[in-house]
Amino acid sequence: MRLILPVLFLFIAPRPSSGQDTTTVREWIATATAKAAIQPDSADYYYRKAGALAEKIGFTDGLLDYTRRYTLFLYNNLRFEEALKVSALQLEKAMEIKNFSKASSAYNNMALQYQAMGQLQKAADHLIKALEMAERLNDQPNLQKYYTNLGSILLDLGNFPKSLFYTRKGHETAIALKDTNAIGRSLVNLLASETLSKRFPDALAHAHEARVIGLLRKDTILQLCAYINLGSIQNRVSRNDSALYWNQVAERHLSPTIPPDYRIYVDHLYAEIYMSQKQPAKAAPYFDRVIADAENIFPRSELRELYKLGTELKEMQGQPALALDYQRKFDVLNDSMNNTATQAAINELEIQYATARKEQALAQQQLQLERQDFWIWVSWGIVALLVGAGAVTWILFRQRQKAAGERKRTQLLLAHLAGEEKERARTAQELHDGVGSILSAAKIHMHSVRGEDPEASARVVSLIEDAAREVRNISHSLDPEILLQEGLEYALRAFLAKISHPGLSINLYTVGEMPQLAAGQELLLYRIIQEAMNNVIRHANATEAIVQLGYDNGILTLTVEDNGKGFDTNAVPGKGIGLGNMVTRINLLKGHYEISSRPGEGTSIYAEFAGLMA
């Protein structure tokens, strides 16, 4: 199972300077948009009123605003044929005023409606037109979205290599644009291609990265996509417990404001998980609920997999007639998706697009040569600006001084824990030099008397070695010298590897380039994670846990999650020592945190830190 994020477009036209009617159009569009998620019937009414009035008074900007927003509304409510008609009107009006950027977005929106209706050749044709327009305009933000959507269409066709090529291209363009929102959505499409290409480690890493971006941006839809895909990937690699855990997390994020198709995707994954566990009785209610709406929602590649699942399920339930019906539907759809004529037509469109791109690049080079003389004159203007740059440099210098003062205050705040760390180091040294030395001496003496009772002596020597090893571990835990030598990420990987065991798998994920932190800040973060993992080991009875560090736009995020027994956060009378120590350190770093847990559903700790720099 996969879940993708098609990208529709909303351009907000500038507000007209006057006119009661045009203001009314704007107000009705705003009212409809506000009601779209919670009162769809009312939203539909106001959208139609706004469109009718805009067309009556010839208000083109308002009409384009209406068509784009109403298209998105209809798409989210699975009314694809109506959305296609509105997108066609959007294209007509954009071409009338020769606004090719808006026209390209209309072509894209039409492509997505055709894709949703299973008309993939038409979808690809319209998307190639959108790409050609965006290329001529050098419109990188729209190109990024069109690459991603073309990858989605190719995924529906079962052309996984080309899908992977275009979804990667969309992701790389989003990174080049430094657009975090676009990066998150491109990741969902990329990991869907990777999953169906059986590149499961890459897909898993990108799903976690998308999830972290969703948390950073408080984007519930992106988080849902990440959770559902995490469950799907884990199910494909036969890690059913993990798959069930992530799908339960996704289910908790469903709400009346979430589009209805996400509920269907969650139910579909439940059916797949239980069928993987050979539990048809548990899978059947979810499958029966999904199949009623799937033909209107699922892309063809996933609908094909659903029919295959239905065939297997109904066979196991002893319903051969239904099993045969689903098998026939699977065969028809499979033959349609493997239609060589459709594949050839789309390949031809792709070749035409690639040729147009080369011609556009040559024209761009010629234009660049013609502009060189212009830039010679511009350079003289730049010289004049250098005088002003001196003043700006002085302002920046003052700002750096202010930032240095802030860092100094942060260092003073971190000094509150210096005494505790010093005591940890002293205790670690005493354990190593004192207790460790005694155990080593005991081991030597036991070797000298081994002849009297070799078996008993061997047992005692083994116990002494275990005790010495435990002392060393405690000593290293108290005084993490590796943190000072190798840095936070390396120290965390070493710590998590040390506490992992066959019954508890722990993984560390990082998203973004981690900033250089002061040693005291790294130590506080290390202790926060250490306390959190100690709670997992002592109390959670978990089999899997993850630690995630992310950095974006000056904000460092930390997430610690486990699939353990969880607890009722409202029923906890007070904080234990471990949790209290963790919260104290978060507060010292001026961070904010949330703890989410329910009995039987694991625990998630999320913290944000701003302004952490060396």
Side-chain angles (χ1 to χ4, degrees):
M1 196 196 83
R2 66 185 177 90
L3 187 62
I4 62 173
L5 278 178
V7 185
L8 284 86
F9 298 87
L10 292 177
F11 290 90
I12 302 175
R15 180 181 291 274
S17 58
S18 64
Q20 182 60 42
D21 287 341
T22 57
T23 301
T24 301
V25 170
R26 291 292 188 194
E27 289 175 350
W28 283 345
I29 291 173
T31 299
T33 303
K35 292 174 175 287
I38 52 176
Q39 294 178 289
D41 290 341
S42 179
D44 188 74
Y45 169 77
Y46 280 104
Y47 273 131
R48 289 177 180 274
K49 284 187 66 174
L53 180 57
E55 193 156 20
K56 178 181 177 182
I57 64 176
F59 180 23
T60 304
D61 282 349
L63 193 61
L64 285 171
D65 194 14
Y66 147 76
T67 55
R68 293 181 186 97
R69 292 181 182 275
Y70 194 35
T71 296
L72 177 60
F73 171 80
L74 293 170
Y75 183 92
N76 285 337
N77 285 273
L78 316 179
R79 295 160 61 182
F80 305 125
E81 290 186 2
E82 294 174 72
L84 183 61
K85 292 178 181 177
V86 177
S87 295
L89 177 62
Q90 175 188 353
L91 176 62
E92 177 188 338
K93 295 302 177 183
M95 292 299 286
E96 281 180 7
I97 62 173
K98 300 188 186 306
N99 190 323
F100 299 114
S101 177
K102 293 182 179 182
S104 74
S105 75
Y107 273 124
N108 173 76
N109 289 343
M110 293 175 75
L112 293 176
Q113 313 313 320
Y114 281 124
Q115 181 186 9
M117 293 187 293
Q119 299 180 43
L120 299 182
Q121 186 170 339
K122 287 185 177 180
D125 182 24
H126 282 73
L127 197 49
I128 293 296
K129 290 177 181 176
L131 277 164
E132 289 172 345
M133 282 189 171
E135 282 282 0
R136 286 198 294 270
L137 298 170
N138 194 27
D139 186 351
Q140 292 297 313
N142 277 352
L143 278 173
Q144 183 275 318
K145 296 162 188 172
Y146 302 159
Y147 289 142
T148 298
N149 286 342
L150 182 56
S152 170
I153 291 172
L154 291 165
L155 197 64
D156 281 356
L157 279 165
N159 194 332
F160 303 146
K162 284 189 177 178
S163 171
L164 197 55
F165 171 81
Y166 279 105
T167 52
R168 277 179 178 164
K169 199 172 181 65
H171 181 55
E172 289 164 1
T173 307
I175 292 173
L177 292 168
K178 298 182 180 179
D179 184 340
T180 307
N181 184 57
I183 292 170
R185 271 150 174 71
S186 67
L187 279 168
V188 175
N189 291 274
L190 175 57
L191 72 90
S193 294
E194 289 169 337
T195 299
L196 293 179
S197 300
K198 298 185 178 179
R199 297 172 178 265
F200 298 125
D202 292 340
L204 194 62
H206 286 139
H208 280 294
E209 188 176 347
R211 178 184 173 280
V212 172
I213 292 173
L215 287 168
L216 279 168
R217 300 184 63 82
K218 296 180 172 57
D219 185 336
T220 305
I221 295 296
L222 183 56
Q223 291 177 58
L224 261 173
C225 290
Y227 293 137
I228 295 171
N229 277 292
L230 278 167
S232 178
I233 296 164
Q234 297 285 20
N235 191 52
R236 287 172 182 269
V237 296
S238 301
R239 299 178 68 179
N240 304 125
D241 289 343
S242 292
L244 198 59
Y245 166 73
W246 285 115
N247 207 38
Q248 288 168 344
V249 174
E251 187 174 29
R252 292 202 299 271
H253 283 74
L254 296 174
S255 70
T257 61
I258 299 296
D261 46 328
Y262 288 93
R263 169 81 261 178
I264 296 171
Y265 276 102
V266 168
D267 286 344
H268 183 201
L269 184 52
Y270 274 131
E272 286 189 333
I273 293 168
Y274 288 126
M275 282 299 292
S276 297
Q277 296 176 334
K278 305 301 180 186
Q279 299 185 58
K282 286 187 175 182
Y286 293 107
F287 175 85
D288 293 340
R289 208 153 57 202
V290 169
I291 198 66
D293 298 307
E295 292 178 351
N296 296 322
I297 295 176
F298 280 4
R300 297 200 306 168
S301 58
E302 188 155 350
L303 189 59
R304 179 178 59 176
E305 295 303 312
L306 184 64
Y307 289 150
K308 185 177 179 181
L309 182 70
T311 301
E312 182 183 354
L313 173 63
K314 297 310 173 184
E315 282 179 353
M316 294 180 71
Q317 287 187 303
Q319 300 179 40
L322 279 175
L324 182 60
D325 183 46
Y326 288 128
Q327 181 64 48
R328 286 172 177 163
K329 288 181 177 181
F330 171 83
D331 291 339
V332 170
L333 191 53
N334 193 50
D335 292 342
S336 171
M337 290 182 64
N338 292 327
N339 186 307
T340 55
T342 299
Q343 293 279 0
I346 291 177
N347 286 340
E348 179 64 25
L349 286 168
E350 187 186 15
I351 291 169
Q352 292 173 7
Y353 165 60
T355 303
R357 287 189 65 200
K358 289 178 182 177
E359 293 173 353
Q360 178 67 19
L362 291 173
Q364 190 69 25
Q365 287 176 4
Q366 180 63 31
L367 182 62
Q368 190 172 6
L369 290 172
E370 293 172 358
R371 289 178 175 173
Q372 282 182 351
D373 290 341
F374 169 76
W375 286 112
I376 291 173
W377 289 101
V378 170
S379 63
W380 285 102
I382 293 173
V383 172
L385 291 174
L386 290 176
V387 177
V392 173
T393 302
W394 170 251
I395 294 171
L396 291 175
F397 172 73
R398 296 293 298 169
Q399 288 178 338
R400 283 196 293 269
Q401 281 189 321
K402 184 178 179 181
E406 289 293 331
R407 288 197 296 270
K408 186 174 181 180
R409 281 189 286 275
T410 300
Q411 290 168 355
L412 290 173
L413 183 63
L414 294 173
H416 284 289
L417 287 178
E420 180 182 335
E421 292 297 335
K422 185 176 180 180
E423 180 63 20
R424 285 173 178 263
R426 186 190 64 78
T427 304
Q429 191 64 37
E430 287 185 358
L431 281 171
H432 182 271
D433 296 343
V435 180
S437 298
I438 293 170
L439 289 171
S440 296
K443 179 180 175 182
I444 293 170
H445 285 301
M446 285 305 305
H447 278 299
S448 66
V449 299
R450 180 174 291 181
E452 298 177 8
D453 188 347
E455 186 176 347
S457 297
R459 285 199 302 271
V460 175
V461 168
S462 177
L463 291 171
I464 292 173
E465 289 175 344
D466 289 344
R469 190 180 305 109
E470 186 64 23
V471 167
R472 283 196 301 273
N473 287 341
I474 294 171
S475 175
H476 292 160
S477 177
L478 289 170
D479 186 20
E481 184 179 353
I482 190 173
L483 180 66
L484 301 176
Q485 294 175 347
E486 305 291 346
L488 178 62
E489 185 176 346
Y490 187 92
L492 283 175
R493 291 194 185 279
F495 168 66
L496 297 176
K498 188 182 299 181
I499 63 175
S500 294
H501 55 80
L504 176 60
S505 171
I506 307 173
N507 290 300
L508 173 66
Y509 299 96
T510 59
V511 178
E513 186 175 348
M514 292 296 112
Q516 183 66 43
L517 303 180
Q521 293 172 339
E522 286 194 336
L523 184 56
L524 282 172
L525 285 168
Y526 181 86
R527 294 297 186 204
I528 291 167
I529 295 168
Q530 192 178 48
E531 292 287 4
M533 293 311 305
N534 285 339
N535 284 337
V536 172
I537 293 170
R538 293 172 184 168
H539 307 299
N541 292 337
T543 59
E544 288 191 57
I546 61 169
V547 176
Q548 295 182 109
L549 283 171
Y551 187 72
D552 179 64
N553 290 329
I555 297 177
L556 180 73
T557 62
L558 166 65
T559 305
V560 180
E561 287 191 340
D562 65 73
N563 65 347
K565 63 183 181 181
F567 62 94
D568 185 351
T569 55
N570 296 321
V572 177
K575 296 183 177 70
I577 294 175
L579 184 57
N581 287 340
M582 183 185 69
V583 171
T584 297
R585 288 169 169 80
I586 292 173
N587 290 335
L588 283 171
L589 290 175
K590 297 181 181 179
H592 302 280
Y593 71 95
E594 295 177 2
I595 300 175
S596 302
S597 185
R598 292 182 186 177
E601 296 184 1
T603 300
S604 175
I605 299 171
Y606 175 73
E608 285 187 3
F609 307 93
L612 297 187
M613 296 294 287

Short mmCIF file of all heavy atoms in Angstrom, two decimals, residues 259 339 482 552 583:
data_model
loop_
_atom_site.label_atom_id
_atom_site.label_comp_id
_atom_site.label_asym_id
_atom_site.label_seq_id
_atom_site.Cartn_x
_atom_site.Cartn_y
_atom_site.Cartn_z
N PRO A 259 -9.43 14.91 5.46
CA PRO A 259 -10.19 14.36 4.31
C PRO A 259 -10.52 12.88 4.51
O PRO A 259 -9.73 12.13 5.11
CB PRO A 259 -9.21 14.55 3.14
CG PRO A 259 -8.40 15.75 3.52
CD PRO A 259 -8.23 15.65 5.03
N ASN A 339 -1.02 -2.08 -20.60
CA ASN A 339 -1.33 -1.77 -21.99
C ASN A 339 -0.12 -1.11 -22.65
O ASN A 339 0.32 -0.03 -22.27
CB ASN A 339 -2.53 -0.80 -22.03
CG ASN A 339 -2.99 -0.54 -23.45
OD1 ASN A 339 -2.20 -0.17 -24.30
ND2 ASN A 339 -4.28 -0.73 -23.67
N ILE A 482 33.47 9.97 25.35
CA ILE A 482 33.32 9.88 23.89
C ILE A 482 32.57 11.08 23.32
O ILE A 482 32.79 11.51 22.20
CB ILE A 482 32.58 8.56 23.52
CG1 ILE A 482 32.65 8.33 22.02
CG2 ILE A 482 31.14 8.59 23.98
CD1 ILE A 482 32.10 6.98 21.62
N ASP A 552 15.95 22.48 11.43
CA ASP A 552 15.36 23.21 10.32
C ASP A 552 15.06 24.63 10.76
O ASP A 552 14.43 24.85 11.81
CB ASP A 552 14.06 22.53 9.85
CG ASP A 552 13.40 23.28 8.71
OD1 ASP A 552 14.01 23.35 7.63
OD2 ASP A 552 12.28 23.79 8.90
N VAL A 583 13.09 16.83 32.18
CA VAL A 583 12.38 18.10 32.01
C VAL A 583 13.23 19.27 32.48
O VAL A 583 13.25 20.34 31.86
CB VAL A 583 11.03 18.05 32.77
CG1 VAL A 583 10.37 19.42 32.79
CG2 VAL A 583 10.10 17.04 32.13
#
